[in-house]
Amino acid sequence: AQKVTQAQTEISVVEKEDVTLDCVYETRDTTYYLFWYKQPPSGELVFLIRRNSFDEQNEISGRYSWNFQKSTSSFNFTITASQVVDSAVYFCALPSEKLVFGKGTKLTVNP
Amino acid sequence: DTGVSQNPRHKITKRGQNVTFRCDPISEHNRLYWYRQTLGQGPEFLTYFQNEAQLEKSRLLSDRFSAERPKGSFSTLEIQRTEQGDSAMYLCASSRLAGSYNEQFFGPGTRLTVL
């Protein structure tokens, strides 16, 4: 069965701090993808990134970076120099025909 | 793309009443998904359609729930004889193609409160 675990329920940081959100997944598939979504207070899920299991290179997009380690089944997300606008719930998801989501990590960035 | 739209955005109903939600996916998106999200949890899959065919239903979708996508465009989700446990955010998503690599675009959701 597919499973995603986000052990951090809530994280609170002060603006400009770096923060890492953890994601551990379980799948029997040999080829798979992983997604991260952001859900701001407005409620609408926003797609952030897709990675496939063949590509373990870290990816950087502005202040966001992702570390995918197949050996530990982890796909962690780091926000550098956090900003108040980063406050949201972040979900890691494992797609098959449907998305299997973790429970999410609520990030609060305080000014 | 105008995005996925859902109506109504909020629905308050009394226990035992029937409710119906509508989802309009992004045009030309063949796949349409319904998820349910309760407070503090991630979205949970309910069902999905490939065009007008309903291909999978979750065990979460009891007999009181029914979903349709009659012409392969918009979809409706009906809950009969609502219970307080049905209170949740109901999310709709669409994707252009099948395949796990395809991003699902989500609508703003319908928040249901059952009194």
Side-chain angles (χ1 to χ4, degrees):
Chain A
Q2 315 257 40
K3 185 179 179 182
V4 175
T5 301
Q6 294 180 257
Q8 303 152 308
T9 305
E10 292 192 41
I11 298 176
S12 182
V13 299
V14 177
E15 208 169 17
K16 297 185 183 178
E17 284 187 31
D18 299 346
V19 57
T20 295
L21 310 181
D22 298 333
C23 171
V24 174
Y25 62 90
E26 296 176 29
T27 180
R28 294 179 182 172
D29 295 339
T30 53
T31 304
Y32 50 90
Y33 286 80
L34 290 158
F35 294 171
W36 274 93
Y37 279 87
K38 174 182 180 180
Q39 189 173 40
S42 60
E44 193 160 338
L45 282 157
V46 177
F47 176 81
L48 293 178
I49 192 171
R50 164 182 48 235
R51 298 306 303 275
N52 71 57
S53 54
F54 286 108
D55 185 0
E56 290 198 59
Q57 287 191 356
N58 290 344
E59 179 148 348
I60 299 174
S61 175
R63 297 184 296 107
Y64 295 171
S65 62
W66 289 268
N67 182 294
F68 176 37
Q69 293 193 337
K70 206 169 178 179
S71 60
T72 56
S73 297
S74 67
F75 185 39
N76 297 335
F77 173 30
T78 297
I79 301 174
T80 302
S82 60
Q83 299 176 1
V84 173
V85 292
D86 296 326
S87 296
V89 181
Y90 291 86
F91 292 98
C92 182
L94 191 58
S96 54
E97 291 300 325
K98 56 187 180 286
L99 288 171
V100 175
F101 286 88
K103 292 187 176 182
T105 298
K106 182 179 180 181
L107 173 66
T108 302
V109 181
N110 298 298
Chain B
D1 289 336
T2 56
V4 178
S5 61
Q6 292 187 246
N7 288 288
R9 294 291 308 276
H10 303 273
K11 179 70 178 179
I12 299 174
T13 190
K14 292 182 179 179
R15 187 163 50 104
Q17 298 294 305
N18 299 342
V19 294
T20 300
F21 310 141
R22 176 177 169 128
C23 170
D24 287 88
I26 295 171
S27 60
E28 300 180 356
H29 276 198
N30 299 316
R31 286 279 177 109
L32 186 147
Y33 306 81
W34 285 100
Y35 294 85
R36 182 172 70 185
Q37 185 178 20
T38 53
L39 198 61
Q41 301 294 316
E44 295 176 292
F45 169 77
L46 292 178
T47 187
Y48 82 93
F49 294 84
Q50 171 79 26
N51 298 314
E52 65 274 11
Q54 189 173 18
L55 297 186
E56 186 177 345
K57 293 192 292 186
S58 162
R59 291 173 300 165
L60 293 175
L61 216 63
S62 74
D63 291 344
R64 298 184 296 105
F65 288 70
S66 63
E68 294 184 343
R69 194 182 183 196
K71 296 182 180 179
S73 57
F74 72 91
S75 175
T76 58
L77 177 67
E78 181 183 14
I79 309 174
Q80 296 182 330
R81 305 181 303 283
T82 52
E83 302 173 355
Q84 288 185 327
D86 297 331
S87 295
M89 176 76 87
Y90 290 85
L91 296 166
C92 177
S94 69
S95 66
R96 188 160 182 270
L97 298 169
S100 62
Y101 50 86
N102 283 295
E103 171 190 352
Q104 292 183 22
F105 295 82
F106 282 81
T110 295
R111 182 170 295 283
L112 173 67
T113 302
V114 182
L115 302 176

